[in-house]
């Protein structure tokens, strides 16, 4: 299968991104032809005023991907804006996309309400899903691994492809979504881990930073004193144990928390050890990549070249069908 997915470069990747998307991408790249790209133009749809950090974020996200195990020998890794065919197909698809389809898009309304202090009544923000459709359709992707929030965009992509195919010629492939099950990851404050809540543990954090963040992490709120028994099932620290610790440690915590044999401070030390052990290889590769910028440049150069080949082919077929 041909698989394609993208991520906006809107800051450093955290453990939620790692466990939610990247672990899945890593599995997919073993069996499929994969295209993974940095959606930098999409980032402009909400962050068009202050672009001072954009290039840094693009660089950081690429380092995070490779350090986490995205393998450029298997997957095509590229940057959206380096393949201008995305913009051309976006333009052509925008001609056949009715505005009510875009206004109906739930994420359009939801984000406009949620993101305050920014004027999002722009053409680009309304057209976000058309650009996303162009990203996907250019590569004739069979499947797109995404989170639940992206399902309306996938549906729109299929509707746009169908409309194109019935108006002109059957050139575009309707992609399927690939929903991924992943362990729930809560942030240090017990809410969903998210950059906008400032509660993340990042791939770029150092071991002492991870330990410090865990120290301040919320536990079972009913466990006020050391002698109070706790309930690991409602404790976000225990969620990390389930992901990072060995079965023996998980069993031990599960028992000793309920009987107050173990205190939260020790419990957090255990989980910090497990996490540091599992994240260390990622930190090592991050360092290696940072000290060798040529390597990253080369990965992007090859990826963009390959992406350009595929997208030029599709764009030629699209133009031929539309007679433009
Ligand atoms: N909209 C996606 C997100 O915010 C990013 C994205 C852009 C994407 N183009 C894509 C994802 C194409 C999958 C396929 O997460
Ligand atoms: Fe959570 Fe561990 Fe404390 Fe139990 S002992 S409440 S699992 S931090």
């Amino acid at each position: 299968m041909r698989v394609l997915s993208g991520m906006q470069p809107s800051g450093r990747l955290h453990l939620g991104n790692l466990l939610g998307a990247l672990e899945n991408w890593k599995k997919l790249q073993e069996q499929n032809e994969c295209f993974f790209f940095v959606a930098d133009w999409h980032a402009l749809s909400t962050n068009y005023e202050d672009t001072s950090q954009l290039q840094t974020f693009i660089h950081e996200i690429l380092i995070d991907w490779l350090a986490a195990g995205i393998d450029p020998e298997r997957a095509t890794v590229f940057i959206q804006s380096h393949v201008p065919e995305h913009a051309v197909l976006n333009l052509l698809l925008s001609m056949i996309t009715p505005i009510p389809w875009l206004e109906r898009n739930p994420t359009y309304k939801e984000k406009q309400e949620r993101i305050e202090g920014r004027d999002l009544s722009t053409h680009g923000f309304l057209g976000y899903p058309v650009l996303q459709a162009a990203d996907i359709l250019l590569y004739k992707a069979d499947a797109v691994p995404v989170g639940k929030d992206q399902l309306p965009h996938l549906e729109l992509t299929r509707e746009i492809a169908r409309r194109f195919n019935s108006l002109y010629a059957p050139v575009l492939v309707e992609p399927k979504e690939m929903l991924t099950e992943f362990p729930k990851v809560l942030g240090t404050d017990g809410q969903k881990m998210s950059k906008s809540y400032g509660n993340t543990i990042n791939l770029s954090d150092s071991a002492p930073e991870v330990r410090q963040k865990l120290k301040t992490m919320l536990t079972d709120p009913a466990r006020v004193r050391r002698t109070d028994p706790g309930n690991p099932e409602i404790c976000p620290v225990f969620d990390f144990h389930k992901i990072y610790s060995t079965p023996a440690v998980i069993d031990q915590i599960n028992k000793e928390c309920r009987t107050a044999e173990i205190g939260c401070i020790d419990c957090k030390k255990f989980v910090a050890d497990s996490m540091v052990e599992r994240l260390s290889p990622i930190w090592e590769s991050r360092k290696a990549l940072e000290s060798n910028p040529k390597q990253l440049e080369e990965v992007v150069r090859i990826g963009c070249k390959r992406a350009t080949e595929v997208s030029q082919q599709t764009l030629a077929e699209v133009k031929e069908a539309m007679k433009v």
Side-chain angles (χ1 to χ4, degrees):
M1 269 200 312
R2 186 173 281 178
V3 172
L4 171 136
S5 197
M7 254 186 231
Q8 286 192 36
S10 46
R12 304 197 155 190
L13 291 187
H14 54 70
L15 287 186
N17 306 126
L18 174 66
L19 298 159
L22 287 177
E23 288 295 337
N24 185 41
W25 289 12
K26 270 164 65 182
K27 271 190 226 119
L28 287 168
Q29 73 184 356
E30 285 165 24
Q31 307 275 352
N32 303 281
E33 185 190 12
C34 287
F35 289 82
F36 299 129
F37 72 98
V38 182
D40 53 345
W41 280 338
H42 274 110
L44 289 176
S45 70
T46 42
N47 293 307
Y48 57 85
E49 283 182 52
D50 180 5
T51 57
S52 56
Q53 295 263 75
L54 185 60
Q55 295 310 318
T56 311
F57 287 164
I58 295 171
H59 181 77
E60 290 290 329
I61 205 173
L62 285 165
I63 289 191
D64 282 335
W65 287 1
L66 300 184
I70 299 302
D71 178 0
E73 303 270 314
R74 293 170 181 266
T76 299
V77 173
F78 68 100
I79 300 173
Q80 182 185 40
S81 67
H82 293 203
V83 185
E85 284 73 13
H86 288 243
V88 179
L89 187 58
N90 173 57
L91 176 89
L92 295 175
L93 296 179
S94 77
M95 301 301 171
I96 67 165
T97 307
I99 289 176
W101 289 10
L102 300 173
E103 287 171 333
R104 245 190 278 132
N105 170 25
T107 54
Y108 175 63
K109 296 211 178 78
E110 191 261 326
K111 266 202 185 172
Q112 262 198 338
E113 280 160 22
R114 189 161 49 89
I115 303 182
E116 283 170 19
R118 257 179 268 167
D119 181 3
L120 293 182
S121 54
T122 57
H123 182 199
F125 186 65
L126 179 65
Y128 184 109
V130 184
L131 180 57
Q132 184 161 348
D135 297 338
I136 298 167
L137 297 173
L138 260 187
Y139 299 88
K140 300 191 179 180
D142 302 298
V144 182
V146 281
K148 259 210 233 84
D149 62 312
Q150 294 295 311
L151 294 186
H153 293 164
L154 260 283
E155 192 53 47
L156 252 165
T157 300
R158 287 190 289 266
E159 281 167 30
I160 292 172
R162 235 173 280 145
R163 188 169 168 104
F164 182 97
N165 290 345
S166 76
L167 282 174
Y168 310 111
V171 168
L172 301 176
V173 174
E174 284 184 43
K176 280 189 279 296
E177 65 251 5
M178 228 177 195
L179 265 188
T180 30
E181 288 299 317
F182 53 87
K184 92 172 170 205
V185 198
L186 298 180
T188 47
D189 59 356
Q191 296 191 80
K192 182 183 170 214
M193 188 177 286
S194 163
K195 198 187 56 128
S196 42
Y197 298 144
N199 63 1
T200 62
I201 297 177
N202 299 332
L203 297 189
S204 53
D205 287 344
S206 62
E209 279 171 312
V210 169
R211 288 182 190 280
Q212 184 52 36
K213 285 183 178 180
L214 283 169
K215 262 188 208 155
T216 65
M217 187 150 181
L218 188 102
T219 63
D220 173 0
R223 225 188 150 184
V224 184
R225 264 160 279 139
R226 168 69 182 79
T227 47
D228 295 335
N231 177 5
E233 285 317 320
I234 60 165
C235 174
V237 174
F238 192 62
D239 286 333
F240 278 136
H241 273 295
K242 284 194 267 188
I243 297 165
Y244 289 110
S245 294
T246 60
V249 171
I250 298 171
D251 277 352
Q252 184 198 343
I253 302 288
N254 196 12
K255 195 170 113 301
E256 295 185 356
C257 169
R258 292 171 198 275
T259 55
E261 278 167 88
I262 188 169
C264 293
I265 294 175
D266 288 330
C267 176
K268 286 172 164 182
K269 250 185 230 136
F270 279 132
V271 86
D273 290 341
S274 309
M275 283 172 69
V276 165
E277 192 180 318
R278 291 275 291 277
L279 293 174
S280 292
I282 297 185
W283 293 332
E284 298 285 310
S285 348
R286 272 193 122 271
K287 252 191 250 148
L289 285 158
E290 258 157 9
S291 64
N292 187 359
K294 282 272 174 300
Q295 189 190 346
L296 189 63
E297 256 170 51
E298 191 58 9
V299 165
V300 171
R301 194 186 63 77
I302 291 170
C304 292
K305 183 162 171 276
R306 164 91 185 114
T308 300
E309 280 161 17
V310 177
S311 55
Q312 280 182 345
Q313 170 66 32
T314 307
L315 193 57
E317 293 169 32
V318 163
K319 286 180 167 175
E320 159 85 20
M322 285 180 96
K323 316 237 179 302
V324 292

